[in-house]
């Protein structure tokens, strides 16, 4: 207890405001530099030719265009599915006009999806522009996004120089012609002037809030830990990352073991779905030993039933945070809850960073 108290005291004294430094970040805004994401070059010659790319890896700035529309989507999101014909029409408008062909380009990033899912989506909706799979949500995380569909309009510089965000669109685009006209206007904006503009009035990404008040959340964590024995030295850790992590020494059968619990709150990938909230527990070997839902929903925003929760629990228990399990929707997804299932797996895959923090504190 003394060692733990000293560690927490040092953190709180030397890192003021550590609780406020949450892992969530604000959504990228107009005037911001679009990050140079490391992306895998499309497999088909048609997509490579459209983007004018060579090599196996590329960054957005290498795409030759005046304006690049990067569309973040998930193939299971109903709005993303409904939007596909709209963007197909948008692509046609761009390509049929010599004034815009080659100057405005589209790129889809399918977050939480595998290549085989993207291929099936493109075939089903006859999508003519490139869509790249991002099964670990890395691209969405890099720009501070949460839900899909999400459109980022990027005014390109010369190749090799990162573009400037000229617009952000959250939600379902329903009118291809209006969007086309907007893209033409954005393509005419000077990138350097755009960079200088102030964005005080820009709408900010609302920070995801825990589903329960702090006291009730702590009770839920304590209850989950109590299943493993008598709790001693229960405490919430003050981590640099701002992650909600609790720890306790557990007495069971004459032995004492330190356990940990993280409360995970993630925005849904789909803009019409409920957010994802759950608790998972792990021991000092980084093995996951508990999984408790706070809010898990499926199609229609219906809560998971006990059998569905137990199925997911069986999927993740016994796995180690230091060896993330890849998500396979054909095997791991709860029926009608593929997006929620993918978020759970992705959240657990972020456990490697947490383990490093705990090791740096001497708790592992």
């Amino acid at each position: 207890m003394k060692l733990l108290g000293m560690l927490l005291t040092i953190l709180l004294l030397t890192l003021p405001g550590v609780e406020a430094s949450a892992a969530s970040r604000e959504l990228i805004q107009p005037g911001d530099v679009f990050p140079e994401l490391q992306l895998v070059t499309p497999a088909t010659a048609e997509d490579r030719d459209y983007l004018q790319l060579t090599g196996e890896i590329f960054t957005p700035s290498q795409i030759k265009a005046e304006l690049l529309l990067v569309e973040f989507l998930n193939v299971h999101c109903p709005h993303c599915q409904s939007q596909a014909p709209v963007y197909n029409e948008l692509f046609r408008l761009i390509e049929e006009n010599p004034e815009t062909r080659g100057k405005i380009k589209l790129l889809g990033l399918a977050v939480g999806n595998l290549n085989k899912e993207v291929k099936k989506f493109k075939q089903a909706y006859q999508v003519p522009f490139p869509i790249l799979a991002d099964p670990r949500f890395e691209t969405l995380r890099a720009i501070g996004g949460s839900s899909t569909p999400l459109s980022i309009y990027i005014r390109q510089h010369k190749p090799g120089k990162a573009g400037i965000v000229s617009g952000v669109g959250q939600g379902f685009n329903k009118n291809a012609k209006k969007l086309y006209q907007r893209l033409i206007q954005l393509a005419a904006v000077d990138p350097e002037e755009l960079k200088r503009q102030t964005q005080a009035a820009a709408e900010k990404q609302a920070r995801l809030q825990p589903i329960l008040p702090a006291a009730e959340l702590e009770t839920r964590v304590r209850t989950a830990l109590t299943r493993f024995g008598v709790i001693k030295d229960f405490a919430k850790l003050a981590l640099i990352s701002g992650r909600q992590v609790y720890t306790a020494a557990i007495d069971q059968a004459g032995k004492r073991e330190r356990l940990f619990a993280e409360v995970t709150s993630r925005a849904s990938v789909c803009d019409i779905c409920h957010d994802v909230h759950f608790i998972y527990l792990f021991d000092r070997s980084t093995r996951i030993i508990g999984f408790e839902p706070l809010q898990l929903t499926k199609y229609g925003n219906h809560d998971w039933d006990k059998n569905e929760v137990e199925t997911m629990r069986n999927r993740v228990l016994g796995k180690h945070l230091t060896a993330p399990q890849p998500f396979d929707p054909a095997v791991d997804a709860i029926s009608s809850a593929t997006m929620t299932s993918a978020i759970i797996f992705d959240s657990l895959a972020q456990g490697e960073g947490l383990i490093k923090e705990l090791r740096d504190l001497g708790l592992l």
Side-chain angles (χ1 to χ4, degrees), residues 47-304:
D47 284 348
R48 290 196 301 271
D49 290 342
Y50 172 74
L51 297 176
Q52 294 182 274
L53 295 172
T54 58
E56 297 181 355
I57 302 295
F58 73 100
T59 60
S61 68
Q62 293 177 272
I63 298 174
K64 297 178 181 179
E66 293 181 4
L67 187 79
L68 175 64
L69 167 51
V70 176
E71 183 67 19
F72 293 85
L73 64 127
N74 181 283
V75 302
H76 303 289
C77 170
H79 276 177
C80 299
Q81 295 168 358
S82 299
Q83 187 171 256
V86 178
Y87 273 48
N88 290 350
E89 172 67 8
L90 175 64
F91 181 86
R92 184 190 66 79
L93 291 170
I94 294 170
E95 294 300 300
E96 288 184 355
N97 185 348
E99 296 296 321
T100 54
R101 184 172 60 247
K103 297 179 180 179
I104 300 174
K105 295 185 179 180
L106 311 181
L107 175 64
L109 296 177
V111 295
N113 297 134
L114 302 175
N115 283 321
K116 61 184 179 181
E117 294 179 284
V118 172
K119 184 177 181 180
K120 185 177 179 181
F121 179 85
K122 288 196 66 175
Q123 291 174 343
Y125 293 94
Q126 299 182 329
V127 178
F129 55 90
I131 300 179
L132 306 179
D134 177 15
R136 296 194 66 178
F137 300 79
E138 291 172 342
T139 58
L140 188 65
R141 191 177 295 116
I143 55 95
S146 57
S147 62
T148 61
L150 173 64
S151 307
I152 308 293
Y153 312 109
I154 306 163
R155 183 65 171 89
Q156 295 287 73
H157 272 299
K158 58 185 179 181
K161 188 173 182 179
I164 308 300
V165 177
S166 59
V168 177
Q170 298 186 76
F172 181 14
N173 279 310
K174 301 179 181 180
N175 191 311
K177 291 182 178 179
K178 286 185 178 180
L179 179 55
Y180 177 57
Q181 292 302 316
R182 183 184 182 193
L183 297 184
I184 293 174
Q185 294 171 353
L186 293 174
V189 176
D190 177 74
E192 290 300 330
E193 176 60 28
L194 186 60
K195 194 172 182 178
R196 289 190 291 267
Q197 291 176 355
T198 59
Q199 301 301 324
E203 181 180 357
K204 296 295 183 179
Q205 172 79 347
R207 182 179 172 184
L208 182 65
Q209 297 295 324
I211 192 173
L212 297 173
E216 188 174 348
L217 194 58
E218 181 176 311
T219 298
R220 293 290 293 270
V221 174
R222 282 179 175 272
T223 300
L225 287 167
T226 300
R227 297 191 179 103
F228 296 90
V230 179
I231 293 180
K232 302 289 184 181
D233 302 337
F234 179 85
K236 182 179 181 182
L237 301 178
L239 300 178
I240 295 175
S241 64
R243 296 171 73 152
Q244 295 188 88
V245 180
Y246 299 80
T247 186
I250 305 294
D251 286 346
Q252 186 178 47
K255 296 182 179 180
R256 176 166 292 190
E257 181 180 10
R258 180 158 297 282
L259 301 181
F260 301 86
E262 178 172 22
V263 177
T264 299
S265 295
R266 287 277 297 270
S268 171
V269 177
C270 173
D271 63 340
I272 59 173
C273 301
H274 286 164
D275 295 330
V276 177
H277 304 266
F278 64 94
I279 302 168
Y280 72 93
L281 289 75
F282 59 99
D283 60 21
R284 297 189 69 182
S285 75
T286 80
R287 181 173 58 96
I288 300 171
I289 60 173
F291 177 84
E292 301 297 332
L294 295 175
Q295 177 177 279
L296 300 176
T297 58
K298 54 189 175 182
Y299 185 79
N301 284 325
H302 297 295
D303 291 334
W304 289 15

Side-chain angles (χ1 to χ4, degrees), residues 27-44:
L27 177 64
I28 198 169
Q29 292 293 301
D32 292 341
V33 175
F34 191 78
E36 285 285 76
L37 306 170
Q38 298 291 309
L39 303 172
V40 178
T41 303
T44 67

